[in-house]
Amino acid sequence: MAGNTGRTGARGFGLFEREAELAAAEEALDLLTGQEPRTPRLRLVREPEEPRIPRDPATPAAPGAHPPRGGVLAYAAPAGLGKTTLLAEIRRRAAAKGCTVLSARGGDQEQRVAFHVARQLLQPQLAAASRTELTERLGGWYDIVGPALGLCTAAEGSPPDPQGLRDGLDWVLTHLAVRRAPLVVVLDDAHWADPESLGWLSAFAPRAEDLPMLLVVAYRPDELPESGSEFTGRRSGQRPLGLEPLTPEAIAGLVRDRVGAHADDAFCQEIWTVTAGNPFEAVELAARVRDRGLEPTADRAHALRDLAAAVKGSGLIAQIEGFGTSTVRLAWACAVLGTEISPQLAGAVAGLGGEEVARCAERLRRARVLAPADPDAEPGRDTLEFVHPLIATAVYDAIPAATRVALHGQAAWCVVDAGLGSTTAARHLVETHPEGDPWVVQHLRAAAQETLRAGAPDTARRYLARALREPPDQDERAAVLFELGCASLLTEPATTVNHLRAALEEPIADAALRHGIVYRLSQVLAHSDRLVEASELLGRESRLTTDARSRLRMQSEKFMWDAFRADEPDSPARSRRLARLADRLTGRDLTERYIIGLRAWDATLRGEPSAVAVGHADRALTGGLSWADESRGFEVPVLSALTFLYADRPGRAEELFADGTAEFERQGWRGAHLSFAYTLLGYIRYRRGRLVEAEDFVRAGLRLAERVGPRTPCEWYAVGVMVEVLLARGRTDEAERVARAHDFGEPFPAAVTFPDSQTVYGELLLATGRTEAAAAELASVGRRLDPRGMRNPAWCPWLLHLALAEARDTPERARDTALEAVARARQYGAPSAIGQALRVTAEVSAEGERVKLLEESVDWLERSPAAYELARSLVALGGALRRTGRSTEAAEHLYRGLETAQDCGADGLVDDARAELAAAGLRPRTLHPTGTDTLTVRERAAAELTLRGEDPAAVLGLDQAAVTRLLSAVYRKLGTDPAGLAEALTGGRP
């Protein structure tokens, strides 16, 4: 309802008593443009500790210039105190200093239109570009932010999540700030900004300090939503500047500026009294004094109170009514339509012809209800604007309730008739009363679909909820409930469950719709840790469906959610059914490949030979598994990739995760999905012994998870992996702090996870000396997993940690526990699992048995890609040899262990290795970290000779120990074991 921000300054009321506020803006603009501030420092823009935007070295700095500094400048004041005029002056000064200015204004009506403010800010900078130019400028963000900004229609596929869209808008604004620097972004009436835009800008605001960008915001403090709290200074401590009512002296100056210098003091004092120093009301009152020809003298001051009544409230409405029915109808139509109103559209809503619209508009302009016509507007492009939001609000509130509803309905019809689309009409339709009109349902559903695909699920949900109240026809009701459930999925999963359950209770003639509801409901139940309900739903519906392929898909999804259930009643029986089904499938479609992928994961959990699991995973991937298929979920592609990881093929797993992560990013899924991807990429690096890289990836995943919310599954996984990585790096205290900060501990989720959260928690308890608690926790894991046949220590090494926890008080039991882990690892056959189990067995065995066990452990780990586990066994073997007096043999193992630990970033293990070397009377050698995955000439030669069945030692003239070390480096660099060497070496990897 507010006036056009580009025209406000031309009809402003001056800037009386706003010197301090303008000085703050002037200082901020000077800092932004790299000039020495001419005004005293008010510290409204935080000073960085060092320059953050480096000057191009090819461009010499101007004399006296300073590094540009961005920031946020906020003004908070009630209505009518001059925020808009102040911001117009700031825009003018910014343009005069050579700044690029982006400007937007919230609107009382438009706050229900998703991305209304974002479009005002960014669309003018991008709309003139062709599609080709836009795709070049926006790159991968084009399909994500384009629909939200009205630059293109949404592409096929799943919509971006809200966080992904915010990241895209961040990129666009950052790109503009860098390319068009210095940049000034001005948002007026932020309290009326749409939630999507306000939430984005509020989250972006701290970045302004690091960019050549000044973000200027004005709002009414009592009306600012919580999503705009960043502008209140709550985080930064930088309080917004307030605007006070004008003093009598300023009001006198304002009045004399408009009615003449002869206005006497008593007259000016009376204007100040009746307006309480409100500059908007004073300007309007002075204008009416001038229009009426009222002499500004003391003896005429008594007329001011009656005249002031016409400025606002009932007096203003009475004045408009005095112009006649047609003028009233036009004013009402404008109030309903909002801002930037086309005269043609206003006339259609008001039921007036073009000439009548022009006459009525002129009356309203003369009465200072509508703003003067823009003299610079192109012919036929002029718009109708209210002089001030206060007037627009007064007019809107004065419309009788029934008439207002009818006008919104008329506006919706006119908007659609004018070709402005369902989304533009939807904000009017939500204001109408339900009447069972199919046309209303049709356009609300279309608007919801468009809005959802643009990345605004909350707005889509509001449209669909209104469509449901219309109500839709009986045969359409289930579809609307389904769409409503999908729109609520990311923000209100519990509500989604209710909507989808209600949809299933409706009569549904379309089998595909019913199946879609079932799939989505099972997903949201499972993701809400309600796995039993998800499984029961799929089981019940699979018995009801008559379509064989749909039944197969329901069975596949039931298999998946049952695999995650910690309380599944008969897991072995389910595994047998899954094996029988998967072994006869060919993988001809996605459903069959999902079942085969689940078979691969089940084989991994049960500890079947790793070659069996990998074979099924390869079958599942033949033909492709999409990570970003919203109707399927990403669980099976993830499980298939993890199958390779636990089978000592982390290089293959990492390739799959890299592809999946790229798919998430292209789709704009930058919330929970991308958090999982980064976390598990970090977990893969952890398993390969690349601990520094692992920590970086997991921290990125944890940052994304924290944006999703506390104790969500993605945060749970990220914290668990972070704890493991920090423990491996020797930073036990930090691991404990991370766990405590994120409430990582009991109660654990109902799902069996990867890595198993309870096992990680037990490992943390053990590392921090709480041995008894660790033993109890880890034994509980065994009681949960063993009855289900989940016996693979490569996936969940609870037995290994339990053996270490038992070693102090029950050493014999500890050894038996460790030997059971060795037996299970040998059954699975992954070298890293066998080597790790043998090392733990050595730790809990008698001193005389340790060397032999550790030598075998090293031998197995030499054939694996697990660098960190190899380093641990090398250091342990070197220490055991030293303690038996075999210092010469110990030295080589300790040196290798030290160097490998250094490469891994295992700082704690490095310290242990140095201590062992010192105890042996040896000085550490100068370390030469590899720092690359590229195979050396000898490493590649040894690998190729091994694949051809030739003896590398004989051909290369090396002893067997040197060949073993070469091949060990090959396995670590390629991320494979001997069984996968051929594929890794010839499949495009180094």
Side-chain angles (χ1 to χ4, degrees):
M1 288 185 179
N4 185 299
T5 57
R7 294 157 52 188
T8 307
R11 56 177 186 267
F13 49 72
L15 289 160
F16 294 86
E17 294 189 332
R18 297 295 181 244
E19 291 82 2
E21 292 80 4
L22 282 173
E26 189 71 22
E27 177 188 354
L29 289 171
D30 285 343
L31 291 170
L32 179 68
T33 54
Q35 302 301 310
E36 178 66 30
R38 294 187 294 271
T39 57
R41 289 294 177 92
L42 299 177
R43 302 191 62 80
L44 297 169
V45 181
R46 179 181 302 162
E47 292 187 37
E49 295 178 359
E50 58 185 45
R52 303 200 182 179
I53 307 298
R55 181 179 296 277
D56 184 346
T59 304
H66 293 258
R69 300 171 186 172
V72 178
L73 192 59
Y75 296 97
L81 291 188
K83 300 183 296 296
T84 296
T85 300
L86 183 63
L87 263 57
E89 177 63 15
I90 292 173
R91 289 198 306 273
R92 187 192 67 77
R93 294 189 183 195
K97 290 177 180 286
C99 299
T100 301
V101 180
L102 311 184
S103 186
R105 189 170 192 173
D108 190 12
Q109 296 293 316
E110 287 81 1
Q111 62 185 311
R112 289 176 284 277
V113 179
F115 308 113
H116 176 68
V117 163
R119 290 186 180 194
Q120 288 183 73
L121 289 174
L122 301 176
Q123 206 178 62
Q125 300 294 319
L126 302 169
S130 66
R131 179 187 174 92
T132 301
E133 292 171 331
L134 278 176
T135 52
E136 289 177 357
R137 289 176 61 178
L138 301 182
W141 292 110
Y142 176 79
D143 288 326
I144 297 171
V145 303
L149 297 178
L151 300 173
C152 65
T153 56
E156 291 299 318
S158 303
D161 61 37
Q163 189 56 60
L165 180 57
R166 281 190 182 182
D167 288 347
L169 293 173
D170 285 354
W171 186 92
V172 172
L173 189 53
T174 300
H175 193 61
L176 282 172
V178 173
R179 288 189 60 196
R180 305 291 303 276
L183 184 72
V184 176
V185 178
V186 180
L187 173 59
D188 195 7
D189 287 336
H191 53 281
W192 279 337
D194 60 278
E196 290 82 2
S197 297
L198 184 61
W200 160 56
L201 281 173
S202 184
F204 184 88
R207 298 192 184 189
E209 300 171 0
D210 301 320
L211 293 167
M213 169 181 161
L214 178 64
L215 177 57
V216 187
V217 178
Y219 59 88
R220 299 178 190 173
D222 293 340
E223 300 180 38
L224 186 70
E226 180 63 28
S227 57
S229 60
E230 178 65 32
F231 302 125
T232 66
R234 182 179 304 174
R235 179 197 67 86
S236 64
Q238 298 171 3
R239 296 175 61 82
L241 291 169
L243 303 182
E244 298 296 328
L246 298 184
T247 63
E249 292 75 20
I251 290 291
L254 183 152
V255 171
R256 290 177 176 128
D257 186 57
R258 279 150 178 79
V259 303
H262 61 291
D264 65 26
D265 292 343
F267 187 87
C268 295
Q269 178 69 28
E270 184 64 13
I271 288 185
W272 178 83
T273 300
V274 299
T275 63
N278 185 295
F280 163 71
E281 295 181 18
V283 166
E284 294 302 311
L285 183 53
R288 279 163 174 74
V289 167
R290 183 186 58 213
D291 294 344
R292 297 286 183 88
L294 187 69
E295 271 305 306
T297 60
D299 58 348
R300 305 305 302 273
H302 66 276
L304 289 174
R305 292 190 179 274
D306 291 336
L307 200 57
V311 173
K312 58 182 179 179
S314 58
L316 173 66
I317 301 306
Q319 182 187 19
I320 296 173
E321 290 173 348
F323 294 137
T325 303
S326 295
T327 305
V328 170
R329 283 160 53 188
L330 181 65
W332 286 356
C334 290
V336 165
L337 288 170
T339 61
E340 299 182 1
I341 309 153
S342 117
Q344 295 77 16
L345 186 59
V349 174
L352 303 175
E355 292 183 2
E356 186 67 9
V357 168
R359 284 193 294 270
C360 294
E362 185 57 32
R363 292 190 196 107
L364 292 171
R365 282 169 173 151
R366 286 200 304 268
R368 297 182 59 80
V369 173
L370 294 182
D374 185 356
D376 299 325
E378 297 178 18
R381 293 295 185 92
D382 193 22
T383 58
L384 305 177
E385 301 284 348
F386 284 98
V387 165
H388 194 276
L390 285 171
I391 294 177
T393 301
V395 173
Y396 186 82
D397 290 344
I399 305 173
T403 305
R404 185 163 58 237
V405 170
L407 283 171
H408 276 294
Q410 177 69 10
W413 278 94
C414 293
V415 162
V416 172
D417 189 56
L420 299 180
S422 299
T423 301
T424 306
R427 77 170 179 88
H428 297 292
L429 291 174
V430 296
E431 302 295 336
T432 61
H433 292 321
E435 294 181 348
D437 188 342
W439 184 88
V440 174
V441 175
Q442 171 196 339
H443 285 285
L444 285 169
R445 289 182 67 187
Q449 182 179 21
E450 183 177 341
T451 304
L452 181 63
R453 294 184 70 80
D458 288 342
T459 298
R461 178 171 50 81
R462 289 196 295 272
Y463 293 160
L464 289 165
R466 172 62 185 82
L468 199 61
R469 293 194 301 271
E470 185 62 16
D473 293 339
Q474 191 64 33
D475 59 354
E476 196 179 5
R477 182 175 170 81
V480 176
L481 283 165
F482 176 48
E483 292 165 7
L484 181 55
C486 293
S488 304
L489 181 62
L490 292 174
T491 54
E492 298 182 7
T495 302
T496 295
V497 169
N498 294 335
H499 291 318
L500 296 178
R501 285 199 187 282
L504 284 180
E505 294 173 0
E506 297 291 330
I508 305 174
D510 184 356
L513 173 61
R514 183 174 188 88
H515 297 157
I517 296 170
V518 170
Y519 301 143
R520 180 54 57 87
L521 178 55
S522 67
Q523 281 181 346
V524 71
L525 285 170
H527 293 162
S528 301
D529 215 19
R530 298 161 67 177
L531 293 160
V532 175
E533 294 176 63
S535 174
E536 291 174 348
L537 169 69
L538 290 162
R540 182 172 61 253
E541 290 292 329
S542 67
R543 292 189 294 271
L544 294 176
T545 185
T546 58
D547 180 71
R549 301 309 292 179
S550 297
R551 184 183 305 112
L552 185 65
R553 177 173 175 184
M554 290 180 190
Q555 288 174 336
S556 76
E557 303 224 354
K558 186 177 188 303
F559 278 133
M560 178 170 65
W561 302 131
D562 283 343
F564 287 129
R565 284 176 57 185
D567 59 349
E568 186 184 12
D570 193 355
S571 182
R574 187 257 309 157
S575 293
R576 290 191 294 272
R577 292 194 304 273
L578 175 60
R580 286 195 299 270
L581 178 59
D583 290 349
R584 70 171 187 261
L585 297 177
T586 61
R588 62 175 173 160
D589 62 13
L590 201 55
T591 295
E592 291 194 1
R593 294 196 292 275
Y594 267 58
I595 291 174
I596 295 168
L598 289 169
R599 171 73 177 100
W601 180 244
D602 190 68
T604 299
L605 296 181
R606 296 175 61 77
E608 295 182 39
S610 59
V612 172
V614 166
H616 288 304
D618 277 326
R619 289 178 59 213
L621 291 169
T622 301
L625 292 176
S626 172
W627 291 56
D629 185 336
E630 189 183 27
S631 67
R632 292 276 181 173
F634 65 100
E635 289 83 2
V636 172
V638 167
L639 297 178
S640 299
L642 290 175
T643 296
F644 289 100
L645 171 66
Y646 292 117
D648 276 349
R649 310 280 182 87
R652 176 72 170 129
E654 190 160 338
E655 288 178 351
L656 293 170
F657 266 93
D659 290 343
T661 301
E663 200 171 346
F664 289 155
E665 290 179 328
R666 284 194 302 272
Q667 200 69 36
W669 291 4
R670 301 180 66 84
H673 293 83
L674 196 59
S675 171
F676 275 122
Y678 283 161
T679 295
L680 290 174
L681 269 170
Y683 185 60
I684 294 171
R685 296 289 173 94
Y686 160 76
R687 298 276 301 199
R688 296 184 73 168
R690 301 176 176 184
L691 304 182
V692 177
E693 299 168 17
E695 183 178 343
D696 288 343
F697 270 116
V698 181
R699 286 197 186 280
L702 183 55
R703 282 194 296 271
L704 290 171
E706 288 170 341
R707 299 194 301 190
V708 174
R711 293 189 71 83
T712 52
C714 59
E715 186 189 68
W716 199 264
Y717 294 136
V719 173
V721 177
M722 179 60 73
V723 167
E724 284 203 281
V725 172
L726 292 173
L727 290 177
R729 299 205 67 190
R731 287 149 53 186
T732 303
D733 290 345
E734 185 177 352
E736 189 171 23
R737 286 197 301 273
V738 168
R740 191 183 304 114
H742 294 86
D743 199 20
F744 183 74
E746 297 183 359
F748 296 100
V752 177
T753 60
F754 40 88
D756 185 78
S757 302
Q758 193 174 3
T759 303
V760 175
Y761 184 64
E763 183 183 359
L764 177 62
L765 292 174
L766 184 62
T768 52
R770 292 169 282 181
T771 308
E772 291 184 8
E777 202 71 59
L778 293 161
S780 172
V781 176
R783 290 191 297 271
R784 178 164 54 88
L785 298 183
D786 268 4
R788 302 189 58 198
M790 296 178 173
R791 299 167 52 84
N792 188 352
W795 164 66
C796 182
W798 67 271
L799 275 170
L800 303 180
H801 300 308
L802 178 60
L804 295 172
E806 294 172 336
R808 186 186 66 183
D809 297 329
T810 54
E812 291 184 5
R813 183 194 300 172
R815 191 172 187 280
D816 290 342
T817 300
L819 287 173
E820 173 63 21
V822 172
R824 295 183 182 189
R826 291 189 190 280
Q827 177 184 343
Y828 181 56
S832 65
I834 299 171
Q836 184 182 8
L838 287 167
R839 178 185 57 76
V840 172
T841 304
E843 287 190 36
V844 300
S845 296
E847 190 73 36
E849 300 177 285
R850 290 183 180 176
V851 170
K852 183 178 179 181
L853 288 166
L854 288 169
E855 286 177 336
E856 188 180 0
S857 171
V858 168
D859 184 55
W860 278 106
L861 288 166
E862 295 275 23
R863 290 178 266 169
S864 86
Y868 171 61
E869 293 300 331
L870 174 61
R872 295 179 77 180
S873 289
L874 285 168
V875 173
L877 176 57
L881 289 169
R882 177 190 64 78
R883 287 189 293 275
T884 58
R886 298 158 64 180
S887 298
T888 303
E889 295 174 68
E892 186 57 34
H893 293 299
L894 288 172
Y895 283 133
R896 282 193 64 206
L898 173 61
E899 194 161 286
T900 305
Q902 178 78 16
D903 284 345
C904 291
D907 301 332
L909 187 57
V910 168
D911 293 340
D912 292 344
R914 291 183 184 278
E916 287 289 350
L917 285 166
L922 300 169
R923 298 174 60 184
R925 297 171 180 167
T926 302
L927 297 178
H928 301 287
T930 57
T932 178
D933 284 344
T934 304
L935 298 183
T936 65
V937 173
R938 282 198 166 190
E939 288 167 352
R940 181 172 290 277
E944 292 173 345
L945 289 167
T946 300
L947 288 177
R948 292 201 297 267
E950 300 181 43
D951 181 6
V955 175
L956 299 177
L958 302 171
D959 59 32
Q960 195 58 50
V963 170
T964 298
R965 289 194 292 274
L966 284 174
L967 290 174
S968 178
V970 168
Y971 301 139
R972 294 197 302 275
K973 290 181 178 182
L974 296 184
T976 187
D977 63 353
L981 180 59
E983 180 187 357
L985 195 63
T986 61
R989 293 185 288 278

